[in-house]
Each structure stands twice: as structure tokens, then as C-alpha cells.
């Protein structure tokens, strides 16, 4: 058999095998599993978006290759949406690029900027794609630990000067998966300054910009004056409009970065199905009542779970955004150990924090992607085994 490439050997170990196996076994036995593991909305895509797809699917114009960089009208709507939501002006032709989901763009970006051995700064715990996309491009990784005492923000001042001088890319993501932490404008100002001072491209993942609660409205890094000189921002319709299966997202920001990513993509894929982009337009320019509803739904689930978990003595900060709870593992357990206990004794699936990087050890992640009755049931089961 042909030996696999080194880049596959450099992939971080997959840590969920044990839990996946146990979950499979339990399901086979007919045990009623409550899955709070996956970050995939349980609610359907709003009907007006589905209708727009149906109509557009019948138009033969959409049956041919789409434009590589995305339909002009879709990119216009993205620019309009950015103006309205963040007050940021974008040139739709040069500063907006349609993506096959933001994961695709994040994974491909390093190919446009990284030579073998170049340095990329990646937070831990984090969405795994920042590190893996960088590894695939041949990068060396410098890990930025996200610690509770820093509000799960990277501490830029503790990065050695030599690292800053060498680094080409920095990935950040607020509102954050998995910690659910949020960042304010001053954090993004710091990031932009760092990018300018050391000539680093700041790659901000804003997948959860609309999934926010109470009075908090997450900012875009592009709101910071001068950010466009050093920043690219990744965006997704997946979480905002329950469209994870549709595969549509976009990147905005620095023209050179957008151009570089576009050059990689035009040689790898041929764009997003036109009908899906038309559905995306319907999402962005349609009634945003579905977004308010989505927020209200997760806010209720959050309140229910935060108070239930706290009553059980578990420690967590109530999130201002995202549909995740980042919960400290009780004393005496590892992340894996506690997740296994919850699965074996309560039929509840959660994600062990170390699966997002070593620095996630000591935590587990709950995704609020089940109806309230199921969350109540999960709390009930936890009460039954509370002597962990
Ligand atoms: C869900 C998620 C995405 C979105 O991915 P798509 O490919 O657009 O579906 C991006 N980043 C983070 C951190 C996520 O959790």
C-alpha cells in the first residue's frame, strides 16, 4: 500500500473514538441517548429560505457552473448586510468572496500564505480547522492558550517577540467555540495593532455573530479603523439561519487576503450552487424575525441549563453568545473520564474539552441543540447521578 503523506500523520489525534464507540453501543442497545455533543442546530431552515431555493433550483441558469468568486448579487447583499449590521463598507467585487461554508475558506486560506515552516498562531482550545488547515499548508503552530483567568482570550502580551516577528497568520474566533467567550472592541483593536506592527494577517472567525443574548451584539473586527489593512473575517449562514447542511458562507476584508484565497479556490472548486446563493440572498435580505426567534430559543435553553447545572454544583459562566456551555469538570475527573461517566450512567453525550486542544482539559462542552423538554430530561438524569 502507498504510504500516506506526512501531513496526514501530523493531524492531531482523534480523541472521541472511545466515546463514539460507547455511544454506538448504547444506541444499538436501544438506550435513549440525549446528544448534547454536536454544534449543529436542531431547528429547520426558515421556510422562506427553502422556498427561494426551490424556485431557483428550477431556473436552468443555475444549472451551469457558478462564478468562482460568487454570484455578484450575493456578494452585493453581503456588503449591504455588513453595512447595516456593523456599519462597515465593503467593495463586493474585491472584498467579499463566497465560500462553500466558512470551514472550507478557513481550511484553504493558509495555502495562499504559508510556505513550509512558516509560523501560524492558533488558540487552544479551538475549532480544529485553524490548526489542521495550517498543518496541511506545512505551517508550524504556535499555541495561544485560552485561559479562564483571561476570560478565554489569548494574552498577546505574553507572546515572545521572536514569535511575533516570525508569525504570518493569527486565528481568533469571538464569540468563541468551544468556550462561548466573547470579545469587545478593545480586544479587536489590540489584534489589529499586533497585525500592523508585526505584519501578521489576522483571521477572524465570526460564525456566531448573530447567536447572542441579553443586550450583547458581537462586533466585527472590521469595525476597527485600519482593520482592512490586516484582517480577513470568515462568516457563515450555517448557525444564523440553521443552514449547516447547505454549505454557504463568505469571507470579507483585506483585498489581498480575499484575492489570495480566491486564487486557491478557483483552482480547487468551482463555487457554490447558484440556487443556494439565491437562498442565501433570501436569508440575508429577508425578514430577520427568524434570527430574533433563534436568539430567544437558545436564550431560554441557556437559562434553563445554566441554572440547572449550577444547582448541581457545576461551574460555568453563563454565555452572552453561542449555543455552547463550557463547563468545568468536577474535581477528580479528566474531561474524558467525566464525559464517559455521563454517557454510561446518564445516557448524555457531551464533548470532552481536550478534544479542542490540550488547554481544553478540565472542561466539557454542552451544545444547546435539543428541545427544552430534552434538556429538562438531561437535568433530571444528572440529578439522579449527582454523587459523582
Ligand atoms: C460552525 C462553525 C463554523 C461554520 O462552519 P460552516 O462551514 O460555515 O458550516 C465556523 N467556525 C466555527 C468556530 C464554528 O463553530
Amino acid at each position: 500500500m502507498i504510504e500516506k503523506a506526512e501531513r496526514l500523520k501530523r493531524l492531531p489525534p482523534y480523541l472521541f473514538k472511545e466515546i463514539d464507540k460507547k455511544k454506538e453501543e448504547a444506541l444499538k442497545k436501544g438506550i435513549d441517548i440525549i446528544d448534547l455533543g454536536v454544534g449543529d442546530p436542531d431547528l429547520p431552515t426558515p421556510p422562506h429560505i427553502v422556498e427561494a431555493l426551490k424556485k431557483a433550483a428550477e431556473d436552468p441558469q443555475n444549472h451551469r457552473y457558478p462564478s468562482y468568486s460568487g454570484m455578484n448579487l450575493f456578494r452585493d447583499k453581503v456588503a449591504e448586510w455588513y453595512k447595516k449590521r456593523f456599519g462597515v463598507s465593503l467593495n463586493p467585487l474585491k472584498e467579499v468572496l463566497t465560500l462553500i461554508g466558512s470551514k472550507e475558506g478557513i481550511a484553504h486560506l493558509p495555502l495562499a500564505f504559508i510556505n513550509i515552516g512558516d509560523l501560524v498562531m492558533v488558540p487552544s482550545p479551538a475549532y480544529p480547522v485553524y490548526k489542521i488547515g495550517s498543518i496541511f499548508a506545512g505551517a508550524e503552530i504556535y499555541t495561544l492558550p485560552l485561559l479562564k483567568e483571561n476570560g478565554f482570550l489569548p494574552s498577546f502580551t505574553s507572546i515572545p517577540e521572536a514569535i511575533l516577528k516570525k508569525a504570518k497568520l493569527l486565528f481568533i474566533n469571538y464569540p468563541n467555540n468551544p468556550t462561548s467567550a466573547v470579545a469587545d472592541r478593545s480586544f479587536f483593536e489590540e489584534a489589529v495593532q499586533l497585525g500592523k506592527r508585526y505584519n501578521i494577517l489576522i483571521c477572524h472567525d465570526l460564525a456566531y455573530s448573530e447567536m447572542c443574548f441579553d443586550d450583547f451584539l458581537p462586533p466585527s473586527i472590521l469595525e476597527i479603523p485600519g482593520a482592512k489593512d490586516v484582517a480577513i473575517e470568515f462568516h457563515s449562514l450555517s448557525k444564523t439561519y440553521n443552514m449547516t447542511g447547505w454549505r454557504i458562507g463568505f469571507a470579507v476584508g483585506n483585498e489581498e487576503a480575499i484575492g489570495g484565497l480566491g486564487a486557491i479556490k478557483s483552482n480547487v472548486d468551482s463555487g457554490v450552487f447558484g440556487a443556494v446563493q439565491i437562498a442565501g440572498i433570501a436569508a440575508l435580505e429577508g425578514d430577520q424575525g427568524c434570527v430574533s426567534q433563534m436568539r430567544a430559543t437558545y436564550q431560554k435553553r441557556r437559562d434553563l441549563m445554566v441554572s440547572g447545572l449550577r444547582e448541581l454544583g457545576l461551574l460555568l459562566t453563563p454565555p452572552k453568545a453561542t449555543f455552547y456551555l463550557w463547563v468545568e469538570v468536577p474535581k477528580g475527573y479528566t474531561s474524558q473520564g467525566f464525559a464517559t461517566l455521563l454517557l454510561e450512567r446518564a445516557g448524555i453525550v457531551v464533548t470532552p474539552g481536550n478534544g479542542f486542544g490540550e488547554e481544553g482539559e478540565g472542561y466539557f462542552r454542552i451544545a444547546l441543540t435539543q428541545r427544552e423538554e430534552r434538556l429538562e430530561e438531561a437535568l433530571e438524569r444528572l440529578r439522579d447521578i449527582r454523587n459523582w
Side-chain angles (χ1 to χ4, degrees):
M1 195 41 210
I2 289 184
E3 193 162 349
K4 293 203 178 70
E6 288 301 321
R7 67 177 60 84
L8 286 181
K9 296 181 197 157
R10 284 186 68 199
L11 280 177
Y14 182 73
L15 296 172
F16 305 137
K17 259 190 219 133
E18 265 309 294
I19 288 185
D20 284 353
K21 211 175 96 193
K22 291 210 162 91
K23 181 177 150 188
E24 280 305 309
E25 285 167 7
L27 284 170
K28 252 189 221 147
K29 280 190 216 149
I31 294 171
D32 175 30
I33 295 286
I34 303 177
D35 194 340
L36 306 176
V38 279
D40 190 351
D42 56 308
L43 301 164
T45 308
H48 69 281
I49 301 173
V50 179
E51 280 311 313
L53 172 87
K54 283 187 189 165
K55 240 172 85 192
E58 285 178 356
D59 182 352
Q61 267 196 338
N62 294 323
H63 299 172
R64 311 190 66 199
Y65 283 121
S67 135
Y68 287 154
S69 41
M71 207 176 259
N72 285 347
L73 191 60
F74 178 75
R75 290 185 292 159
D76 284 346
K77 290 301 163 193
V78 166
E80 277 173 31
W81 186 81
Y82 248 74
K83 184 79 199 167
K84 205 151 99 195
R85 170 66 175 82
F86 301 110
V88 170
S89 301
L90 295 167
N91 176 336
L93 295 177
K94 294 179 172 166
E95 296 173 336
V96 181
L97 182 66
T98 306
L99 301 174
I100 312 172
S102 58
K103 180 179 184 179
E104 176 265 307
I106 292 165
H108 278 140
L109 180 82
L111 287 179
F113 293 96
I114 294 302
N115 294 313
I116 308 283
D118 282 351
L119 193 64
V120 178
M121 299 192 286
V122 178
S124 171
Y127 184 58
V129 187
Y130 316 134
K131 181 169 176 176
I132 292 172
S134 301
I135 285 177
F136 281 176
E140 296 301 323
I141 306 295
Y142 182 81
T143 301
L144 302 174
L146 303 186
L147 307 175
K148 182 184 175 186
E149 58 261 38
N150 298 327
F152 300 105
L153 299 172
S155 160
F156 295 140
T157 50
S158 51
I159 307 172
E161 181 82 10
I163 296 291
L164 291 169
K165 281 187 172 150
K166 198 173 163 219
K168 283 181 102 171
L169 306 179
L170 162 67
F171 280 97
I172 47 177
N173 161 226
Y174 293 96
N176 185 260
N177 174 12
T179 68
S180 75
V182 298
D184 58 15
R185 282 177 63 106
S186 69
F187 171 78
F188 291 113
E189 274 164 17
E190 243 192 284
V192 168
Q193 274 171 18
L194 199 78
K196 290 202 173 198
R197 181 144 174 227
Y198 295 99
N199 199 25
I200 296 168
L201 178 62
I202 313 296
C203 312
H204 182 227
D205 180 354
L206 190 49
Y208 293 95
S209 71
E210 305 314 296
M211 198 183 274
C212 50
F213 315 120
D214 311 323
D215 292 328
F216 181 72
L217 203 54
S220 157
I221 193 171
L222 300 180
E223 290 173 30
I224 308 303
K228 260 197 219 170
D229 297 338
V230 291
I232 182 170
E233 192 156 73
F234 291 93
H235 230 291
S236 174
L237 278 70
S238 287
K239 310 291 162 54
T240 308
Y241 302 103
N242 305 328
M243 290 175 76
T244 48
W246 298 56
R247 311 315 303 135
I248 183 164
F250 51 91
V252 295
N254 181 267
E255 185 180 329
E256 294 291 317
I258 294 291
L261 176 56
I264 295 292
K265 278 176 58 57
S266 64
N267 288 287
V268 176
D269 63 68
S270 299
V272 172
F273 179 28
V276 169
Q277 293 189 67
I278 288 171
I281 292 168
L284 290 174
E285 73 173 3
D287 185 357
Q288 300 300 298
C290 57
V291 177
S292 321
Q293 251 176 36
M294 177 269 295
R295 288 175 182 157
T297 300
Y298 291 124
Q299 185 166 326
K300 265 166 77 192
R301 294 178 182 180
R302 174 200 68 170
D303 292 345
L304 172 73
M305 283 305 275
V306 167
S307 65
L309 294 171
R310 282 179 158 175
E311 274 167 28
L312 289 162
L314 291 165
L315 297 176
L316 76 162
T317 307
K320 289 200 180 97
T322 80
F323 54 9
Y324 301 116
L325 304 178
W326 188 240
V327 189
E328 291 182 39
V329 163
K331 279 212 171 55
Y333 288 96
T334 60
S335 293
Q336 295 271 347
F338 194 65
T340 306
L341 176 140
L342 292 184
L343 178 54
E344 287 179 339
R345 294 189 47 207
I348 296 170
V349 175
V350 300
T351 311
N354 62 320
F356 301 99
E358 265 172 54
E359 286 71 10
E361 178 55 54
Y363 291 86
F364 65 96
R365 191 192 74 177
I366 285 178
L368 299 169
T369 49
Q370 298 282 347
R371 288 174 290 119
E372 272 177 76
E373 306 87 272
R374 292 296 276 170
L375 296 175
E376 299 263 22
E377 164 74 21
L379 288 173
E380 204 50 52
R381 292 186 194 181
L382 290 175
R383 281 177 205 123
D384 288 343
I385 60 156
R386 67 180 307 166
N387 291 324
W388 39 63

